[in-house]
């Protein structure tokens, strides 16, 4: 039915066209003019009505389409909003976490920066103190005192202070002069181990402070000085000057780096020292040696305690034997007392109470004398378990 307004003008036009054609064929010009004017009027009226109808229909359809589009758009907007809402909430949480992480990162970076600054300052102070220590160690007196302090710390860590005599306590006079070792370690059984801590360190300190190109040369010089010191220590013959000392002396190097640097430049240094009856030792090596000595002292103490325990056991056995003899005397005395008591009761019962009970039979007294029974239990002996 919606196509009828559009078809109506077409049908009218077709009819008019046919009419005009027919009139033209008839050759009536005036009639053709009149009919043309009527046809034009009818066409214009039909076109106007058709346009009005089309506009009304278009407005109706457009209004319906707009309403449908608005409803559909609102529904789509609501659906999209419902779909996006969890994503928006997640993004908000992520944004909050990112802000927290950023704050934590800023704080951690600030703390790390402070720690780096503190480490830099500490490193600078350490370098300064190391430089001061290196300068101080160039003085022989300071170097010797530092070596003695390191030696004492090693002895303390090994728990051997009570079995060690330091330099101020030990001095030995010889034909060539006076020997004064830095440490004498007393071993179980009256034996001793001598430790010397006067190792040369000047060349090693020069290698640390000198240019990079001369370091290798200085380290080789350090190894040579250590080797020469081994020769000097071996020539002193400490083992001949101390009673019951082993036939070697321990050369103490007060730092692991001193020992490792010398061995790195001269790998045969330890074998060379053993050949001269000198044992090179770093703090770790000396601690191991002193720990072994401490174990020996503990075993000595255990053996000594065992001997004392044996003596105490013998004394306790003698005293227990004496006390057992006293108890045996008491037991014998008790047996004699029981025998005397039983004999006295027998005599009393057979010679006295028999006559005394007749007083009651004769009516002289009302009370009856009690029966006296002898003792039949003997004292237990120490061996009796009954």
């Amino acid at each position: 039915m919606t196509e009828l307004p559009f078809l109506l003008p077409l049908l009218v036009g077709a009819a008019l066209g046919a009419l005009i054609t027919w009139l033209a064929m008839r050759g009536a010009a005036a009639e053709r003019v009149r009919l043309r004017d009527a046809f034009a009027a009818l066409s214009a009226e039909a076109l106007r009505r058709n346009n009005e109808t089309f506009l009304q229909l278009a407005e109706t359809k457009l209004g319906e389409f707009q309403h449908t589009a608005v409803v559909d758009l609102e529904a789509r907007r609501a659906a999209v909003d419902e779909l996006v809402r969890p994503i928006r909430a997640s993004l908000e949480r992520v944004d909050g976490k990112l802000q927290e992480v950023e704050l934590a990162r800023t704080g951690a970076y600030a703390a790390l920066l402070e720690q780096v600054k503190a480490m830099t300052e500490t490193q600078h102070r350490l370098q300064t103190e190391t430089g001061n220590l290196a300068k101080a160690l160039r003085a022989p007196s300071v170097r010797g005192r530092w070596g003695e302090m390191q030696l004492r710390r090693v002895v303390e860590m090994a728990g051997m202070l009570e079995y060690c005599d330091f330099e101020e306590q030990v001095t030995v006079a010889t034909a060539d002069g006076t020997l004064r070792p830095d440490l004498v370690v007393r071993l179980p059984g009256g034996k001793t181990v001598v430790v010397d801590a006067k190792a040369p360190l000047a060349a090693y300190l020069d290698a640390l402070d000198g240019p990079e190109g001369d370091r290798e040369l200085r380290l080789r010089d350090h190894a040579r000085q250590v080797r020469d010191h081994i020769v000097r220590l071996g020539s002193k013959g400490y083992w001949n000057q101390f009673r019951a000392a082993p036939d070697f002396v321990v050369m103490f190097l007060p730092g692991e780096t001193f020992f490792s640097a010398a061995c790195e430049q001269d790998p045969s240094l330890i074998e060379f020292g053993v050949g001269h009856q000198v044992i090179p030792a770093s703090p770790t090596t000396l601690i191991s040696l002193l720990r072994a000595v401490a174990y020996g002292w503990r075993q000595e103490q255990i053996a000594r305690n065992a001997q004392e325990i044996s003596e105490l056991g013998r004394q306790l056995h003698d005293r227990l034997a004496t006390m057992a003899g006293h108890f045996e005397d008491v037991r014998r005395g008790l047996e004699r007392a029981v025998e005397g008591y039983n004999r006295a009761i027998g005599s009393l019962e057979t010679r006295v109470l028999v006559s005394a009970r007749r007083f009651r039979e004769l009516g002289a007294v009302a009370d009856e004398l009690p029966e006296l029974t002898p003792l039949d239990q003997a004292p237990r002996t120490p061996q009796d378990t009954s």
Side-chain angles (χ1 to χ4, degrees), residues 1 5 93 135 207 276 310 333:
M1 296 300 293
R93 289 195 298 270
K135 292 178 182 178
H276 286 75
S310 175

Side-chain angles (χ1 to χ4, degrees), residues 318-386:
D318 293 342
R319 293 172 182 177
L320 289 175
T322 301
M323 183 174 292
H326 294 328
F327 275 102
E328 181 65 18
D329 294 339
V330 172
R331 184 186 66 81
R332 293 193 187 99
L334 289 175
E335 288 179 349
R336 288 194 297 271
V338 170
E339 292 176 358
Y341 173 78
N342 290 336
R343 287 196 300 270
I345 285 180
S347 177
L348 181 64
E349 185 69 29
T350 56
R351 297 193 176 258
V352 178
L353 294 182
V354 172
S355 301
R357 288 191 180 96
R358 295 192 61 189
F359 283 101
R360 185 172 180 278
E361 295 175 357
L362 297 175
V365 294
D367 296 333
E368 184 177 359
L369 294 176
E371 291 286 340
L372 296 180
T373 59
L375 295 176
D376 56 356
Q377 293 182 349
R380 292 178 55 183
T381 59
Q383 296 80 13
D384 191 2
T385 57
S386 59

Side-chain angles (χ1 to χ4, degrees), residues 185-223:
V185 182
R186 288 181 276 113
L187 304 179
K191 300 182 182 300
T192 57
V193 172
V194 178
V195 180
D196 186 277
K198 302 178 182 66
L201 305 177
Y204 182 83
L205 298 176
D206 292 339
L208 294 180
D209 296 337
E212 187 70 23
D214 296 340
R215 179 167 298 179
E216 191 72 17
L217 180 61
R218 299 294 184 185
L219 291 177
R220 285 199 297 269
D221 191 26
H222 168 64

Side-chain angles (χ1 to χ4, degrees), residues 1-3 10 21 23 52 57 59 71-72 83 90 108 124 131 152 163 170 176 201 247 263 296 327 339 384:
M1 296 300 293
T2 57
E3 291 82 2
L10 295 177
T21 303
L23 289 176
E52 290 178 355
L57 181 61
E59 288 179 356
V71 174
D72 185 63
L83 181 64
S90 299
H124 179 70
R152 184 177 291 272
Y163 303 113
V170 180
D176 298 330
L201 305 177
D247 56 349
C263 291
F327 275 102
E339 292 176 358
D384 191 2

